[in-house]
Amino acid sequence: MNIKSCKIINSPIEEKLFKSHNIYIKRDDLLSKEFSGNKARKFYYFLENEFPQIEKVISYGSSQSNAMYSLSVLAKMKEWKFDYYVDHLSSYLEENPHGNYKYALKNGMQIYVGRDAPIPTKNEVFVEEGGRQKEAEYGIKNLAKEILEWKEEQGIDELNVFLPSGTGTTALFLAKSFSVGMWASRPTVYTVPCVGDVEYLKKQFLMLEENENFHPKILTPSKKRHFGKLYRESYNIWLKLREEMGIEFDMLYDPHGWLTLLENPEILKKTTLYIHQGGLIGNESMLMRYKRKYGENI
Ligand SMILES: *Cc1c(COP(=O)(O)O)cnc(C)c1O
């Protein structure tokens, strides 16, 4: 595929059965091979609009972030330079590049370790960690529109939408997009924090939108799981999802998302749509870590 001709199209919605629950999956992982998942939605604004004076994108975050990889793709498509700032880079990763880090470097990312990102000049665009910024609303509105059109087509009266949150940007702008506009019945958006706790996620929502009527409903997980940490139950449900539905999910957010969703069967009593937010390139490094921790035959 010619990376420059990449266009975001409507992603499919598939009906599946998981642990005897009927559920629909919005396949944003299939948006396009290179530019997919919720980062494609969040950065769509930059892809679609012209920025004649911009030569470089600057961002910061972790060295295996999905957002970092997606920005490297965006930079390549826009013919921008890409400078990325990390607090720390493990010597293992430096010597054995893999996962998002490896592919972002291949796309021309320049990495800076242990220093603060500079203030951008007028020729540079600055992107917050994980794409938490108002420009994300632009692409997430499209996601909302696709879901609403599908809901109407299918004649679904009441719809629950579920997606796991990091910064909460996707869940927030999705819920907000459903709230504005004259819809007979609005889908209800449920989410669960994967980074930090419920209070942290609420604060993230408030930073992007003051009106709490537009906020998604936050589920409290029965168990605290630390972001990025490996859990056997997370690995097990990831395998089960693949086995039962034939879909590969992300290993960082989705296991915690599904485990929490299954703890709330009242949500699943109504028609439920789970949003697959991509992130599959990141699975390469997660799988390596799982294998190192539990051995080859986990
Ligand atoms: C980034 C990401 C998330 C979190 O998205 P937020 O908008 O930050 O809440 C969830 N799932 C996957 C696969 C991601 O890459």
Side-chain angles (χ1 to χ4, degrees), residues 105 139 144 151 172 185 278:
L105 285 180
K151 177 180 174 290
L172 176 87
S185 71

Side-chain angles (χ1 to χ4, degrees), residues 37-39 42 66-67 129-132 140 163-171 191 194 201 250-254 275-280:
N38 70 356
K39 305 306 179 295
K42 287 182 185 184
N66 294 336
E129 179 169 17
R132 177 179 52 77
I140 296 168
L163 68 169
S165 279
T167 65
T169 309
T170 312
T191 191
C194 297
L201 187 56
D250 137 275
M251 301 184 90
L252 206 48
Y253 299 89
D254 286 322
I275 305 197
H276 191 322
Q277 301 180 86
L280 298 187

Side-chain angles (χ1 to χ4, degrees), residues 104-295:
L105 285 180
K106 270 196 178 163
N107 285 336
M109 172 182 74
Q110 188 73 45
I111 192 122
Y112 296 90
V113 183
R115 32 176 167 143
D116 289 340
I119 311 258
T121 68
K122 65 175 179 16
N123 304 115
E124 296 166 345
V125 58
F126 189 82
V127 171
E128 292 293 338
E129 179 169 17
R132 177 179 52 77
Q133 54 193 57
K134 61 177 181 352
E135 287 86 352
E137 188 169 6
Y138 182 92
I140 296 168
K141 267 188 189 158
N142 284 351
L143 172 61
K145 191 166 152 272
E146 290 170 23
I147 293 170
L148 288 167
E149 282 168 4
W150 169 81
K151 177 180 174 290
E152 205 148 291
E153 246 168 58
Q154 299 279 313
I156 297 165
D157 192 25
E158 289 184 274
L159 179 69
N160 288 332
V161 175
F162 179 88
L163 68 169
S165 279
T167 65
T169 309
T170 312
L172 176 87
F173 285 134
L174 190 59
K176 188 180 169 188
S177 303
F178 287 150
S179 302
V180 295
M182 303 293 291
W183 304 98
S185 71
R186 300 180 171 134
T188 308
V189 178
Y190 291 91
T191 191
V192 63
C194 297
V195 181
D197 57 9
V198 171
E199 283 310 309
Y200 162 84
L201 187 56
K202 256 189 209 152
K203 274 191 204 134
Q204 297 283 311
F205 288 162
L206 284 168
M207 280 164 77
L208 292 165
E209 175 57 58
E210 282 175 11
N211 186 344
E212 290 187 37
N213 293 328
F214 294 161
H215 289 192
K217 292 197 193 314
I218 305 177
L219 302 176
T220 306
S222 69
K223 191 177 154 187
K224 189 168 165 54
R225 293 186 189 89
H226 293 274
F227 187 64
K229 224 177 133 178
L230 310 181
Y231 298 92
R232 200 174 271 274
E233 63 198 346
S234 297
Y235 186 76
N236 286 345
I237 196 162
W238 179 79
L239 277 183
K240 192 104 194 127
L241 287 160
R242 198 174 62 176
E243 212 174 277
E244 286 199 18
M245 294 197 247
I247 299 176
E248 181 179 346
F249 282 89
D250 137 275
M251 301 184 90
L252 206 48
Y253 299 89
D254 286 322
H256 185 59
W258 280 102
L259 287 166
T260 308
L261 178 58
L262 292 171
E263 287 167 11
N264 293 271
E266 71 286 355
I267 295 175
L268 295 163
K269 280 200 191 114
K270 277 190 203 158
T271 307
T272 301
L273 178 69
Y274 187 104
I275 305 197
H276 191 322
Q277 301 180 86
L280 298 187
I281 289 170
N283 282 357
E284 186 176 310
S285 51
M286 287 297 284
L287 270 170
M288 281 172 68
R289 291 178 58 215
Y290 269 112
K291 290 205 166 123
R292 264 187 290 158
K293 179 159 177 177
Y294 295 117

Side-chain angles (χ1 to χ4, degrees), residues 75-91:
K76 202 167 160 180
M77 291 196 270
K78 302 293 276 188
E79 297 180 337
W80 292 342
K81 291 189 192 121
F82 175 32
D83 286 359
Y84 190 73
Y85 291 78
V86 294
D87 285 342
H88 173 76
L89 185 65
S90 76
S91 49

